[in-house]
Amino acid sequence: MKSLRNTALGLTLGVAGASMAFAGELTIATVNNGHMIEMQKLTPAFEAANPDITVNWVTLDEGTLRSRVTTDITTKGGQFDIMTIGMYEAPIWGERGWLEPLEFSAEYDADDILPAMRDGLSFDGTLFAAPFYGESSMIMYRKDLLDAAGITLEDNPSWSTIEEAAAAMTDKDAGQYGICLRGKPGWGDNMAFITTMANSFGAQWFNEDWTPALDSPEWNEAVNFYVNLLTTYGPPGSSGNSFNEILALMNEGKCGMWIDATIAASFVTDPGQSQVADTIAFAQSPQQVTTKGANWLWAWSLAIPAGTNQAEDAQKFIEWATSKEYIELVAENNGWGSVPTGTRQSTYDNPSFQEAAVFAEAELKAILSANPEDSTLNPSPYVGVQFAAIPEFQAIGTAVGQQMTAALAGDITVEEALAASQEAADREMRQAGYY
């Protein structure tokens, strides 16, 4: 059996290098999340079944991945045969003809994919990316600490209740922090969380006429609450924390509460990874004036850039990696509590999964409740919960994310951050001709 070749972050592939790729050799760009790392470990099973195909990996953190694949697809660089992308990119890039349409065998059972995932990765009824795992967001918390404080978290608690719970669980002298939240800048990083929080405060990215709404009282209230909450009850260095950093803190028992991707539930409840696995409980995301847009919807998915010479082999790999059989392979190796979730109804219907995954009900409830078509309290012109599904959003969200991190770090005030964000968004939308 061929050994898996994993290409490190520092690898630089130019157009010339891409043109030298051998037939049957796939280069895949992916994110350094746990389920993706596991896929790389299991890839020899695919290579054994397809001895004429070799898989090479380029594994990157979220921000670098988004930048690299976006640059490659827009410049037709040809570095990758398969890209890991999400619900923001798939329909936009599919509409522009930058991705190959996906067509699967009857055995693949595409109808088993959750409608929210299938619809979010399609344009005009054509699927352009297949979900490897899907997610919403929810509250993960230390029930033992809250029980000791006499506090109960119901679904969709108010942010005031979250603050009370965070205060009760904080003991900084003992290295115990009441709440951990994303602070690292990025449109799909800190802004994924902050947008859902702002939505619940009644905010939105754009008004109905597409003018940016970041200078609204709702944004101001939400971001001030976020900064104060993390500054008072969060760990030091929160402005540099993303999913993986907080996951490590949570598994070490240093976070009383974490509001983030539902996919984290399988990691924080795994006794092999988490020191507090048996104390973790779940609740639906917090709300302030509305539950609309309070929890995001996302899928890390595999797509084929148009123009690759390896499209047929890429299709074979994607069908394998996002199939029922792959999920069963993970279960066989690691147990049903560790399978990639959020993609197929059959996973949630499986009694073995239901028994192993204490988070299954809460995760599915969060995914099914997220509505990209109606994610803001007041009418807005865009589709998307934690992002606006327009090409200009990536630049806007990136710029705003940097301002939010600066405010969290104490380098500027929230008011200064929002003023700069409004200016950047207005400039981008004017240049794009929205008004």
Side-chain angles (χ1 to χ4, degrees):
M1 183 180 297
K2 298 189 295 295
S3 62
L4 176 66
R5 285 185 278 174
N6 183 26
T7 310
L9 174 61
L11 177 67
T12 301
L13 291 173
V15 175
S19 66
M20 294 172 61
F22 296 102
E25 187 169 342
L26 296 175
T27 299
I28 306 176
T30 196
V31 67
N32 62 344
N33 290 348
H35 284 306
M36 301 304 191
I37 301 299
E38 188 62 30
M39 174 169 54
Q40 295 173 43
K41 294 178 182 177
L42 295 175
T43 295
F46 170 80
E47 292 181 320
N50 297 273
D52 55 336
I53 303 175
T54 300
V55 178
N56 302 315
W57 292 91
V58 179
T59 307
L60 308 162
D61 65 82
E62 280 193 33
T64 306
L65 174 75
R66 296 182 199 279
S67 176
R68 288 279 296 273
V69 300
T70 299
T71 298
D72 193 61
I73 201 82
T74 55
T75 62
K76 300 181 180 178
Q79 295 183 24
F80 309 115
D81 303 299
I82 297 174
M83 295 175 166
T84 304
I85 63 172
M87 289 185 169
Y88 171 71
E89 298 93 348
I92 293 174
W93 293 1
E95 179 183 12
R96 292 183 171 186
W98 294 351
L99 299 175
E100 295 281 348
L102 296 181
E103 297 179 2
F104 297 115
S105 65
E107 291 76 19
Y108 179 78
D109 192 8
D111 290 339
D112 183 48
I113 297 175
L114 295 173
M117 300 300 160
R118 192 167 61 242
D119 294 345
L121 297 169
S122 300
F123 174 75
D124 200 21
T126 298
L127 189 69
F128 284 100
F132 180 69
Y133 70 79
E135 64 185 37
S136 183
S137 53
M138 65 181 178
I139 307 167
M140 295 161 278
Y141 66 94
R142 290 274 303 276
K143 189 173 185 298
D144 58 328
L145 296 180
L146 282 190
D147 284 350
I151 297 174
T152 301
L153 274 189
E154 305 289 348
D155 282 346
N156 304 121
S158 69
W159 275 106
S160 298
T161 301
I162 292 295
E163 184 175 28
E164 178 188 359
M169 290 189 285
T170 298
D171 183 353
K172 292 186 178 181
D173 291 338
Q176 176 70 52
Y177 302 96
I179 191 162
C180 294
L181 301 169
R182 296 189 189 201
K184 187 176 181 179
W187 70 264
D189 215 318
N190 64 339
M191 291 316 300
F193 169 76
I194 293 173
T195 299
T196 58
M197 185 179 192
N199 289 341
S200 79
F201 276 73
Q204 59 201 68
W205 277 95
F206 303 101
N207 298 315
E208 285 190 281
D209 60 0
W210 285 108
T211 56
L214 292 155
D215 57 356
S216 68
E218 291 82 6
W219 269 102
N220 187 283
E221 184 181 0
V223 178
N224 266 301
F225 190 93
Y226 162 78
V227 170
N228 292 334
L229 186 68
L230 266 186
T231 301
T232 308
Y233 305 114
S238 285
S239 59
N241 285 347
S242 184
F243 179 91
N244 286 334
E245 290 80 10
I246 301 174
L247 176 61
L249 290 170
M250 193 76 179
N251 283 344
E252 291 167 6
K254 294 181 179 179
C255 295
M257 184 167 34
W258 182 22
I259 303 163
D260 209 297
T262 54
I263 201 70
S266 62
F267 305 132
V268 298
T269 58
D270 178 3
Q273 300 183 48
S274 173
Q275 299 174 25
V276 292
D278 60 345
T279 73
I280 301 298
F282 309 97
Q284 298 301 299
S285 289
Q287 54 85 28
Q288 190 68 5
V289 299
T290 183
T291 57
K292 285 188 176 185
N295 50 296
W296 70 61
L297 187 67
W298 184 255
W300 277 119
S301 309
L302 302 178
I304 305 171
T308 176
N309 295 323
Q310 316 291 341
E312 184 176 347
D313 288 343
Q315 179 90 24
K316 287 181 182 178
F317 181 86
I318 291 176
E319 180 157 350
W320 171 78
T322 62
S323 66
K324 295 178 185 178
E325 289 71 25
Y326 175 82
I327 293 172
E328 291 167 358
L329 178 63
V330 176
E332 180 182 334
N333 280 269
N334 303 315
W336 274 100
S338 299
V339 302
T341 59
T343 60
R344 289 181 170 274
Q345 183 62 47
S346 57
T347 300
Y348 293 94
D349 292 340
N350 189 304
S352 297
F353 175 71
Q354 293 172 8
E355 181 179 354
V358 297
F359 55 86
E361 182 179 352
E363 177 182 62
L364 186 60
K365 184 176 182 179
I367 290 171
L368 296 180
S369 68
N371 184 359
E373 303 283 345
D374 185 20
S375 64
T376 59
L377 179 63
N378 296 314
S380 61
Y382 57 89
V383 173
V385 181
Q386 75 278 21
F387 59 83
I390 57 173
E392 295 74 23
F393 180 79
Q394 184 164 338
I396 293 171
T398 299
V400 176
Q402 292 168 346
Q403 294 296 325
M404 297 301 105
T405 296
L408 179 59
D411 297 333
I412 58 177
T413 66
V414 168
E415 288 69 26
E416 289 170 336
L418 288 172
S421 297
Q422 177 74 9
E423 182 179 350
D426 179 71
R427 182 171 57 250
E428 191 75 28
M429 296 301 278
R430 286 183 185 276
Q431 290 176 348
Y434 280 79
Y435 50 86

